[in-house]
Amino acid sequence: MSNMKRWLREHGISYAQLAKQLNQSQPSISQKVNLKTRWQFDDCRRLRDVYGLSSDFVQDLVPYEAKFAESVRDHEEVSV
């Protein structure tokens, strides 16, 4: 699962909501979230400005845990 797909699920943000925020179509966002199309520079800039997400994270160049280590640890502790 891509970082963005996981992040959107955990934050309750739909593809439609993100598409509206980025002024794009829902199918375009779906393609990007599912790693079938690359995120563009303007997408990454907007995601950084609005949500504080790095382009490395958005493009799956770093593991999810690198950005959200605390939330992953908290979830693992609850699951045990």
Side-chain angles (χ1 to χ4, degrees):
M1 177 182 311
S2 75
N3 288 343
M4 284 302 295
K5 187 172 206 165
R6 184 172 172 184
W7 184 84
L8 289 168
R9 283 185 180 180
E10 289 184 2
H11 289 83
I13 299 171
S14 69
Y15 291 1
Q17 290 170 311
L18 187 61
K20 185 175 181 178
Q21 183 71 39
L22 298 178
N23 197 31
Q24 296 181 28
S25 69
Q26 184 174 340
S28 175
I29 294 300
S30 177
Q31 292 287 310
K32 292 173 183 182
V33 167
N34 289 298
L35 304 176
K36 296 180 190 260
T37 302
R38 291 181 182 251
W39 291 94
Q40 300 300 309
F41 175 79
D42 287 339
D43 301 332
C44 292
R45 187 181 64 209
R46 184 81 174 140
L47 289 165
R48 181 203 62 213
D49 292 348
V50 174
Y51 298 108
L53 301 174
S54 71
S55 60
D56 286 349
F57 175 81
V58 171
Q59 298 176 71
D60 276 82
L61 300 177
V62 297
Y64 189 91
E65 290 76 16
K67 176 75 175 163
F68 297 101
E70 290 180 20
S71 66
V72 171
R73 261 195 317 264
D74 292 345
H75 179 70
E76 288 172 351
E77 290 174 3
V78 171
S79 299
V80 176

